[in-house]
Amino acid sequence: MRLLGVVTRPGTSRQNKTGSWRVMRPVFDHDKCTGCTTCETICPEGCVYHTGKTEYDSDLDYCKGCGLCAEMCPADAITMKEEIK
Amino acid sequence: MRAILEGSHTVAEAVKLCRAQVVSAYPITPQTHIVEALAQKAANGEIQGEFVRVESEFSAASVCLGAAACGARAYSATTSQGLLLMAEVLFNIAGMRLPMVFTIANRSVSAPLNIWNDHQDSMTVRDSGWIQLWAEDCQELMDMHIQAYRIAEDHRVYLPVLVNMDGFILTHTYEPVEIPTQEEVDAFLPPFDPLFKLDPKDPVTLGAYVGPEKYHEVRYCLNESVEEAKPVIVEVAESFRKTFGRFQGDLLEGYQLEGAETIFIAMGSLVGTLKDTVDRMRKAGHPVGLLKLRCLRPFPGAEIHDAVKNAKNVIVLEKAISLGGGHIVATELRSAFYGRMPAPRIAGAVIGMGGRDITAESIEKVYQRVVEGGEEFFWADLKEEVLQEA
């Protein structure tokens, strides 16, 4: 009796990089950014992070490219670019 | 102890003896007496488990899914439209490999509305990954439920089981039933020992996403497990015989097969009618026999061939039809027999839909049409005067 695909242990999202579904990729302009944090708050996947006050980026391992961050950014500091692989 | 019990009350008694820990069901004719009796047993404190009232069969099956995922022995019963409403959950239960037992009080499906017996409901979910057992009488219902939990929870199987009983014909019929003691059942059926369960101390997800890179293999393994249940079903029936002294067949049960040139194959209560009919026909000089199909899934194709291969004709009587696809069991049998020798002729009759009575006379007519008339696949007892209304 073989069990396959029945039980999933925690931590499998580390192996399953769901960012591969993405067709558009957010590109952050750190000069235009005001550091308002809207993109980080709005991201449905929790992918947007920052390394400095205006240094925002998205974790492309998991970012689906939904474009909400770009849509909501009040400073137009995020543009969606076609993902070319 | 021996008692005169209704089929439904026999099932409720069996579920109590199996110490079901979570029972959840929604009433639907002709299953109601099972759930009513279980609710009463729960209210009286005879069942130590939880009786969960729900608003639909979808929820009943979902409660059982959750209960089994937490390591509890779960039970539900339904029929017809209720089973169809459960269908989505049934596939999930099998896919999540959650052992449990559901009773189906087999009834026709709508539309048109009809509350009487045939097998269209359970046949519709035959590809869901559930093991399907079919009971002939009240005693077998008692014994089959006890066996069903042991088969389901066996670590070599680990699958859910549907126990089928003919609506009204078995659910509402009183018969003498030997009731085993709690100690006997406890000795035969150990507590559920889950291979995995939902537990906050050791968190897991059941039935999570699997992409194209693995899903193919996941379904391969599920199919393999259903197939591999066969020897366990046989072993459990044998072990039951040793413990309780009763045996109603394992995958199959033969009756008057010795020297039989024509063998009937059927499931459920029709088998009882057929036993009498076979006796009557034998007395009249017809060399007939009977093979009870006790387990539909996994399908015992090779085993059936072995049992009937020396006959001239095999006649499958079935209370279901795959609309536009033909006779279900007869077709599967033809497929299983292909390339096997010797090969008896396989014929099939759709019979007794929506509660149409199946009499010895209707069975004899089927026999004549096949053996003397050379017919193969047909509907028995069609009323021409009714068809003319169309």
Side-chain angles (χ1 to χ4, degrees), chain B residues 2-270:
Chain B
R2 181 173 271 240
I4 307 290
L5 281 186
E6 192 194 49
S8 296
H9 295 160
T10 307
V11 172
E13 190 63 29
V15 172
K16 185 195 91 177
L17 287 167
C18 289
R19 295 189 187 276
Q21 292 164 297
V22 174
V23 176
S24 186
Y26 188 81
I28 178 169
T29 302
Q31 152 268 35
T32 37
H33 291 186
I34 301 173
V35 184
E36 189 181 34
L38 280 169
Q40 193 154 28
K41 285 181 197 301
N44 291 346
E46 292 173 54
I47 291 178
Q48 296 304 312
E50 188 101 13
F51 186 92
V52 186
R53 281 190 292 268
V54 285
E55 83 294 351
S56 76
E57 288 84 359
F58 186 92
S59 298
S62 300
V63 164
C64 290
L65 185 155
C70 293
R73 186 173 281 162
Y75 175 81
S76 189
T78 190
T79 176
S80 183
Q81 308 307 110
L83 181 65
L84 298 183
L85 187 56
M86 276 185 180
E88 196 263 356
V89 190
L90 294 185
F91 281 75
N92 271 302
I93 290 169
M96 287 188 204
R97 305 299 299 268
L98 298 172
M100 64 186 71
V101 175
F102 284 6
T103 310
I104 310 303
N106 298 112
R107 169 187 138 180
S108 64
V109 291
S110 294
L113 175 64
N114 173 297
I115 58 167
W116 291 277
N117 168 244
D118 66 34
H119 293 168
Q120 293 181 88
D121 52 1
S122 286
M123 291 307 255
T124 303
V125 295
R126 67 192 182 275
D127 299 335
S128 61
W130 285 60
I131 289 168
Q132 282 206 20
L133 305 177
W134 294 73
E136 176 189 340
D137 58 25
C138 292
Q139 184 65 60
E140 187 169 23
L141 280 168
M142 169 63 73
D143 301 348
M144 191 179 268
H145 280 82
I146 300 166
Q147 292 177 35
Y149 272 110
R150 206 169 108 174
I151 294 162
E153 294 169 4
D154 191 300
H155 285 187
R156 295 165 294 169
V157 177
Y158 225 68
L159 285 167
V161 179
L162 282 190
V163 174
N164 292 281
M165 67 189 295
D166 284 326
F168 291 112
I169 302 171
L170 288 184
T171 54
H172 289 57
T173 294
Y174 282 77
E175 285 183 337
V177 176
E178 196 68 50
I179 308 171
T181 65
Q182 187 65 62
E183 293 70 34
E184 286 170 329
V185 176
D186 287 347
F188 184 80
L189 179 67
F192 180 29
D193 173 23
L195 282 171
F196 52 83
K197 61 178 177 180
L198 296 181
D199 179 358
K201 290 190 204 104
D202 179 23
V204 295
T205 301
L206 301 182
Y209 165 88
V210 171
E213 71 286 353
K214 275 191 197 166
Y215 184 88
H216 196 64
E217 287 72 21
V218 167
R219 295 309 271 187
Y220 176 86
C221 287
L222 178 58
N223 180 60
E224 181 182 70
S225 293
V226 179
E227 295 272 2
E228 284 174 358
K230 273 190 207 175
V232 179
I233 295 167
V234 173
E235 183 190 300
V236 169
E238 196 50 50
S239 166
F240 193 92
R241 186 205 317 243
K242 282 201 192 101
T243 312
F244 296 93
R246 285 189 300 277
F247 181 80
Q248 301 103 344
D250 36 50
L251 301 165
L252 305 165
E253 187 197 23
Y255 182 76
Q256 295 279 12
L257 290 181
E258 191 72 35
E261 286 179 17
T262 300
I263 297 172
F264 294 107
I265 295 183
M267 304 191 294
S269 65
L270 176 54

Side-chain angles (χ1 to χ4, degrees), chain B residues 71 90 100 121 132-133 293 306 333 366-367 388:
Chain B
L90 294 185
M100 64 186 71
D121 52 1
Q132 282 206 20
L133 305 177
L293 182 52
D306 203 46
L333 213 56
V366 168
Y367 173 81
Q388 274 162 19

Side-chain angles (χ1 to χ4, degrees), chain A residues 1-10 12 15-16 18 21, chain B residues 96-97 155-156 196 202-208 218 224 228:
Chain A
M1 195 277 288
R2 290 190 277 192
L3 288 178
L4 182 66
V6 175
V7 179
T8 314
R9 299 257 156 209
T12 49
Q15 290 123 45
N16 194 9
T18 48
W21 305 349
Chain B
M96 287 188 204
R97 305 299 299 268
H155 285 187
R156 295 165 294 169
F196 52 83
D202 179 23
V204 295
T205 301
L206 301 182
V218 167
E224 181 182 70
E228 284 174 358

